Each structure stands twice: as C-alpha cells, then as structure tokens.
Amino acid sequence: MDWLFIVKPADAAPDGGSSAKRHMLELAETEPRREWCLSRWRRMAAGDRLWIYFASPVREVAAVAEIEGEPFEAAGNPRQPW
C-alpha cells in the first residue's frame, strides 16, 4: 500500500527541527532508519511505501521510504499515538 506524508512549512521534522526540504533530505541520508510518529501508522504494514510530499514552496514528491516494521503504540503524545 502507498501512503502520502505531506510536509508543510510550519510542521516540525521528526527530530523536532525544521521541516525544510534540505533538512528533511539530510535526515533521510543520515538517519534512514529513524522512527516517525504518524497519525495513520497503525494502519501501515511492513513493505508499504511512504511518499514524502512537500507542499511548498514547490509542490513535489521529494523522497520515498519503505516501512520496515509493524506499528506500535507510542506513549506521550495523544495526537500521534502510533
């Protein structure tokens, strides 16, 4: 299954930093196995693809990732529990 992760300029990156395209691509290169908390994660399965789409300033798909593991519940953030 394919999933779309939309990155907006006001969003924070998975490491809490900037969601600028340059920073997000740097994370992909330096920490390719980083865990992300996503609202729809509980529906994802190993082998699914996650398309990273930047909403601005240029609308484009900038990266694609493959889901490696099964979802698990994360404590501490009720808005992103998975």
Side-chain angles (χ1 to χ4, degrees), residues 2-25:
D2 291 294
W3 300 90
L4 186 63
F5 180 75
I6 300 172
V7 180
K8 298 175 187 167
D11 293 342
D15 67 346
S18 166
S19 65
K21 181 179 173 183
R22 185 186 63 190
H23 180 70
M24 296 287 283
L25 293 175

Side-chain angles (χ1 to χ4, degrees), residues 27-80:
L27 279 179
E29 291 177 6
T30 60
E31 299 182 49
R33 294 199 178 336
R34 175 182 263 296
E35 292 180 356
W36 288 25
C37 290
L38 305 171
S39 61
R40 296 180 188 219
W41 177 249
R42 70 176 174 261
R43 297 182 191 141
M44 294 180 182
D48 286 358
R49 286 181 304 263
L50 180 66
W51 297 85
I52 313 297
Y53 174 81
F54 287 86
S56 70
V58 177
R59 296 178 180 166
E60 65 181 330
V61 172
V64 67
E66 184 174 321
I67 306 301
E68 291 185 338
E70 296 300 318
F72 58 91
E73 198 162 356
N77 188 345
R79 292 186 63 196
Q80 293 178 316

